[in-house]
């Protein structure tokens, strides 16, 4: 699997492209060398044959046919290895002289050249070999064939072709190996950057990408990224400090103002003045809730993964939250259904998880009209513990589902309802601390409004799950044993 992932990387593909270009260049170079070498040897053989023919033609012009026959016989006698092939025949292919007995089969090319095999079919007494010859007619209807044994030349060409094939194979293998090694080194450097980046995104903002001190491209990239991270952290700290300062500085006077309004509410006798003071107290409470939510989100984002993580039974935690909100749902005459699978355990901060669950249930009740339906579920899916809240409320349009986790963002349909747009931001911060993910979907696409289903997936503890299953199996076995024992006692009675 790791090898396959490496083969898909851009660095290996770049090395593969280089290998193809390099191999093509080597192939063209070797092909050119072969073409020039083989062409030179073939041309040299043809020139030797042409020289033999020129000598025989000169003898024929000076001594006639008898002289030609005599010189051919002399040359055949002087060449026991038969490197040069001669055959002089009449118009009816009757042999007059030469070291072949019969005319070879095959049609000559345009220049009179013919390639054939020296075998018993042409009267050859040695092992089969390859030959190349030229044919032309002599005055008087005679036919003359002059050629050379090219078996060694052909064998040399085969050796060169084999060497080229092996050379190409070795070149491709070495290029592939080199590409793999080069890409592996590159992938290691990139993986270091990716791993550090993932840890930084998970909240470890103090980490930086390591460098090797080689001042190469990767070191320059790492230094630029580190400088960018320093700048981002500086800006984030500045923004967080400003927001925290504003929240802290304004929360105290707001609290003082709220208390004064409440005292005024208790002291006035005029009904209209009491109503106005009550609305002012409610607005002050809303502002204080907004500042408290901002400070809590800031603390969560700063806390990162360093929160107090313990084993938490998700079904029990959700059951406690449902008890608090069942009465609120009853006041709006809403159906409140629970489906809590037992034994779903995860590692987390109990208080933060309870806050997340409460926010989601509160949102479902708030945005679901009277006589609506709300469902709360806890289940196990693979290695994930899933908490899900569904409602039949106004829902969220698809193009806004990715934006509702931003601070102060509110869907257009919900702007008339009370709230500050920080509830889902808090839920997102808690889920991120617990390495979870949130999926928003419509409860029923066929209905209008479609409602909303919020599912939070968080890593579950598998060992606890297995132990709970084993305990349940033991309890079931014990119950079966007790029933069997009771039945036996009844039979005895």
């Amino acid at each position: 699997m790791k090898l396959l992932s490496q083969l898909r990387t851009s660095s290996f593909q770049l090395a593969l492209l280089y290998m193809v270009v390099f191999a093509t260049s080597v192939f063209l170079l070797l092909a050119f060398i072969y073409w020039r070498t083989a062409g030179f040897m073939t041309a040299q053989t043809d020139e030797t044959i042409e020289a033999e023919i020129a000598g025989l033609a000169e003898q024929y012009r000076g001594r006639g046919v008898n002289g030609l026959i005599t010189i051919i016989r002399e040359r055949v006698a002087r060449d026991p290895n038969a490197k040069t092939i001669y055959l002089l025949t009449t118009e009816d292919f009757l042999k007059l002289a030469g070291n072949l007995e019969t005319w070879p089969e095959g049609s000559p090319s345009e220049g009179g050249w013919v390639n054939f095999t020296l075998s018993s079919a042409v009267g050859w007494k040695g092992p089969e070999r390859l030959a190349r010859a030229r044919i032309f007619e002599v005055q008087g209807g005679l036919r003359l064939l002059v050629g050379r044994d090219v078996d060694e030349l052909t064998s040399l060409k085969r050796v060169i072709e084999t060497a080229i094939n092996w050379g190409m194979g070795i070149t491709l293998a070495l290029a592939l190996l080199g590409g793999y090694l080069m890409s592996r080194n590159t992938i290691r450097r990139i993986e270091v950057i990716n791993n550090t980046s993932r840890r930084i995104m998970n909240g470890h903002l103090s980490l930086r990408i390591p460098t090797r001190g080689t001042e190469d491209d990767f070191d320059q990239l790492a230094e630029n990224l580190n400088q960018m991270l320093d700048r981002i952290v500086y800006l984030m700290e500045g923004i967080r400090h400003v927001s925290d300062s504003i929240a802290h500085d304004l929360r105290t006077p707001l609290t003082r103002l709220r208390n004064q309004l409440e005292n005024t509410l208790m002291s006035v006798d005029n009904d209209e003045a009491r109503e106005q003071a009550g609305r002012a107290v409610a607005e002050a409470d809303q502002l204080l809730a907004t500042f408290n939510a901002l400070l809590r989100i800031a603390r969560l984002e700063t806390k990162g993964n360093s929160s107090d993580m313990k084993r938490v039974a998700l079904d029990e935690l959700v059951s406690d939250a449902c008890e608090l909100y069942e009465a609120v749902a009853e006041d709006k005459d809403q159906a409140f259904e629970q489906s809590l699978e037992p034994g779903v355990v995860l590692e987390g901060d109990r208080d933060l998880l309870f806050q997340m669950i409460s926010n989601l249930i509160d949102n479902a009740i708030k945005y679901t009209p009277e006589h609506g339906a709300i469902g709360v579920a806890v289940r196990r899916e693979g290695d994930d513990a899933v908490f899900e809240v569904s409602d039949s409320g106004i829902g969220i349009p698809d193009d806004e589902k990715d934006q509702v986790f931003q601070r102060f963002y509110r869907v257009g349909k919900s702007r008339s309802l009370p709230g500050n747009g920080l509830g889902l931001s808090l839920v997102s911060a808690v889920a991120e601390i617990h390495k979870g993910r949130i999926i928003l979907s419509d409860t029923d696409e066929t209905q209008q409004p479609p409602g909303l289903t919020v599912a939070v997936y968080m890593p579950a503890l598998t060992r606890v799950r297995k132990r709970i299953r084993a305990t349940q199996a033991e309890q079931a076995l014990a119950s079966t044993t007790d029933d069997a024992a009771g039945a036996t006692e009844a039979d005895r009675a």
Side-chain angles (χ1 to χ4, degrees), residues 52-74:
E52 289 285 340
I53 292 174
L56 293 176
E58 184 178 354
Q59 293 292 332
Y60 174 73
R61 286 192 297 271
R63 300 171 56 183
V65 174
N66 292 332
L68 178 61
I69 294 174
T70 301
I71 194 63
I72 290 175
R73 290 175 178 174
E74 290 178 354

Side-chain angles (χ1 to χ4, degrees), residues 204-367:
H204 300 279
L205 298 179
S206 61
L207 292 178
R208 292 296 178 266
I209 300 172
T211 58
R212 293 184 176 181
T214 57
E215 298 297 332
D216 58 2
D217 296 342
F218 285 101
D219 271 7
Q220 294 178 16
L221 175 62
E223 290 174 358
N224 291 333
L225 290 176
N226 289 337
Q227 293 176 7
M228 181 182 67
L229 289 171
D230 292 337
R231 184 62 177 170
I232 291 174
V233 170
Y234 173 77
L235 295 175
M236 288 178 59
E237 290 296 332
I239 293 174
R240 184 179 293 114
H241 177 72
V242 170
S243 61
D244 291 351
S245 299
I246 292 174
H248 279 294
D249 294 342
L250 292 182
R251 187 170 58 171
T252 300
L254 275 175
T255 303
R256 193 180 303 116
L257 175 62
R258 192 256 182 208
N259 293 335
Q260 292 175 359
L261 289 172
E262 190 173 17
N263 293 332
T264 302
L265 178 64
M266 296 174 61
S267 63
V268 297
D269 296 331
N270 189 303
D271 292 338
E272 184 179 354
R274 287 176 61 86
E275 183 180 354
Q276 292 178 354
R279 287 198 297 267
V281 170
E283 291 293 337
D285 289 338
Q286 179 67 23
L287 287 174
L288 286 173
T290 300
F291 283 125
N292 289 333
L294 281 172
L295 290 174
R296 187 164 181 80
I297 292 173
R299 284 195 297 269
L300 288 177
E301 292 176 345
T302 305
K303 198 174 187 181
N305 293 330
S306 61
S307 58
D308 187 15
M309 296 291 184
K310 297 180 180 179
R311 291 181 177 179
V312 178
L314 186 60
D315 55 314
E316 298 177 2
L317 193 63
V318 174
S319 178
D320 294 341
C322 289
E323 289 182 5
L324 295 176
Y325 285 93
E326 278 181 333
V328 182
E330 289 177 0
D331 291 341
K332 296 182 68 174
D333 197 18
Q334 295 171 337
F336 198 86
E337 299 179 357
Q338 302 179 39
S339 176
L340 309 180
E341 180 182 333
V344 180
V345 182
L346 71 155
E347 190 176 41
D349 188 312
R350 184 181 182 86
D351 295 335
L352 295 180
L353 290 173
F354 190 84
Q355 180 70 52
M356 179 188 72
I357 294 168
S358 300
N359 278 17
L360 291 177
I361 296 177
D362 181 69
N363 280 350
I365 295 174
K366 182 189 301 182
Y367 297 112

Side-chain angles (χ1 to χ4, degrees), residues 54 85 102 119 133 146 155 160 208 210 234 240 288-289 305 350 354 369 390 418 430 432 436:
I85 310 299
T102 58
S119 62
V146 179
S155 299
I160 296 176
R208 292 296 178 266
Y234 173 77
R240 184 179 293 114
L288 286 173
N305 293 330
R350 184 181 182 86
F354 190 84
S390 59
V430 175
E432 185 175 353

